[in-house]
Amino acid sequence: MSDAAQLLLGQVRSHVRTGLRPLVEQIDRQGLYPEAWLRELGALGGFAALAQPEQGGSGLGLATQIELMAAVGAECGATAFTLWCQGTFAWYLRQSGNPVARERYLPQVLRGELLAGTGMSNTVKHLSGIEKHLLQAEPEAGGYVVSGSLPWVSNIGEEHIFAATAQLGEGGYVMFVVRGNAPGVTLKPCPEFCALEGTRTLNVRFDQVHIPFADVLAQPNEFNAFLGRVKPGFILLQIGMALGVIEGSLKLIRESNLTQCVTNAWLDDQHDDLQEELDALRVQTRQLAQQAEAGTVEILPVLQARLHASELSLRAAQSAALHAGARGYLMRHAAQRRSREALFVAIVTPALKQLRHDIAVLTAANPAALVPHAAAAGNGVAGRQRADAEQDPARQAPCVATETPAV
């Protein structure tokens, strides 16, 4: 990491300690959305690593942005997720072939003056054959008209913008930017979640919403290539959230071991073992991020790293709760929050089960491509069934979910 990146990381950590730490309980238990803190983070340069200076960014790169997310997630996983939304939107703009949209929105997003979400969960699952596409578009003069609904989109509001994709009746997809207060867009509250209530997650309905060509990120003839460019960064940025949740869980383990180290030694996932895995995941993620920046990354190792991030988050958070003992079962104990945050890491699109499915499909023709971690599917009946499915993806029964978390 460069000196400039280290300096920025130190500034962000200080901002986390002084501004975010006092808000964590309100974010988690009362659904506080830390909008002012996010805008201050943008003013510090906390979103700017994803673009070059001539685009209004710092040029520090995707790997640095992932580390900034981890620094935030080490204190609050929910707020790290809002950074993912903001950062992923900036990543879309950077990869778009539409200079009008990029110049109109990117500098404001990088500075945190314009907060942004991403409604791509449905599309990502649809393209893996998991669910039907929820937004439909028809061409009209000067753009498209979009109708449909997305059940859950995060980091949005009436004054925010977000990205989404609609399916055209004649085939193909168009990806676009839309404001929360655009004519025909309705934002409604969602059912209460067990965690991440402080992420401004809302239901979005489109009723004949006009999308001008100026706000199109990818036209139908550009969509496949565009998705291929954005997908690695989309997924790798999520690992930043996971790294933070894991770091926070390891901190709880260290604190518990100050008084319970003898009995805690009987637990399966010990601090040093988890730390070693975290360090290796961090190195792997940085390498993949550098390849993604260069446009040379393969999607399979990205999916495998993301899967490992989900599994390690779950193990670390559970271990933190078990290390804490009865205190870890108290609702006010941080281990409870970490457990719920880790579960979110594993279910947000692409969810753990989708990652395993997609990895199985990609490796069916080339089993040697499966890295040792992914090949170790687990012991017992469930592990054997998963290993069998990885050898023959056709054995996996298709299903269609009607409501799943959107991002």
Side-chain angles (χ1 to χ4, degrees), residues 150-153 156 185-191 201-205:
L150 296 173
W152 296 308
V153 183
I156 61 172
V185 172
T186 303
L187 307 180
K188 291 186 174 293
C190 296
T201 299
L202 302 171
N203 172 278
V204 184
R205 299 180 186 180

Side-chain angles (χ1 to χ4, degrees), residues 87-99:
T88 299
F89 188 95
W91 182 251
Y92 296 155
L93 287 169
R94 177 178 164 183
Q95 303 295 337
S96 175
N98 182 353

Side-chain angles (χ1 to χ4, degrees), residues 228 231-233 235-236 284 287-289 291-292 295-305 362:
K231 189 173 182 179
I235 294 172
L236 289 168
Q284 181 189 21
Q287 293 171 344
L288 291 170
Q291 294 170 19
T296 61
V297 73
E298 298 289 336
I299 196 61
L300 179 58
V302 171
L303 296 175
Q304 290 168 335
L362 288 171

Side-chain angles (χ1 to χ4, degrees), residues 14 110 121 128 167 212 293 310 366 372:
S14 176
L110 295 172
S121 174
S128 288
Q167 186 177 31
E293 288 270 13
S310 290
N366 183 19

Side-chain angles (χ1 to χ4, degrees), residues 195-389:
L196 283 95
E197 281 287 282
T199 58
R200 188 70 70 75
T201 299
L202 302 171
N203 172 278
V204 184
R205 299 180 186 180
F206 291 75
D207 183 12
Q208 299 287 299
V209 178
H210 174 69
I211 304 297
F213 287 137
D215 286 341
V216 170
L217 296 175
Q219 294 281 2
N221 65 325
E222 303 169 324
F223 181 77
N224 288 339
F226 177 75
L227 190 65
R229 294 195 301 272
V230 302
K231 189 173 182 179
F234 175 102
I235 294 172
L236 289 168
L237 282 164
Q238 292 180 343
I239 297 179
M241 174 174 57
L243 295 176
V245 171
I246 297 163
E247 285 180 7
S249 298
L250 291 178
K251 178 175 181 283
L252 295 176
I253 292 174
R254 291 193 297 272
E255 291 172 352
S256 296
N257 281 344
L258 293 175
T259 57
Q260 303 179 59
C261 61
V262 175
T263 50
N264 281 346
W266 292 94
L267 294 170
D268 291 333
D269 286 308
Q270 291 292 308
H271 177 277
D272 290 353
D273 296 330
L274 293 169
Q275 183 70 60
E276 184 177 354
E277 285 192 56
L278 173 61
D279 293 343
L281 176 61
R282 177 171 260 120
V283 170
Q284 181 189 21
T285 301
R286 171 168 287 276
Q287 293 171 344
L288 291 170
Q290 291 168 344
Q291 294 170 19
E293 288 270 13
T296 61
V297 73
E298 298 289 336
I299 196 61
L300 179 58
V302 171
L303 296 175
Q304 290 168 335
R306 175 67 175 84
L307 173 61
H308 189 190
S310 290
E311 294 172 338
L312 188 57
S313 295
L314 291 170
R315 286 169 47 215
Q318 182 183 49
S319 186
L322 292 173
H323 274 73
R327 286 179 295 179
Y329 204 62
L330 294 173
M331 195 62 192
R332 67 174 182 266
H333 196 281
Q336 282 298 311
R337 174 168 57 85
R338 291 304 185 184
S339 294
R340 290 179 278 114
E341 291 173 349
L343 181 59
F344 180 78
V345 171
I347 66 171
V348 69
T349 304
L352 186 148
K353 58 187 178 183
Q354 182 181 349
L355 289 163
R356 287 176 177 166
H357 167 271
D358 291 352
I359 289 169
V361 170
L362 288 171
T363 57
N366 183 19
L370 196 65
V371 298
H373 170 78
N379 299 317
V381 175
R384 290 194 298 272
Q385 289 173 340
R386 187 163 70 248
D388 290 342

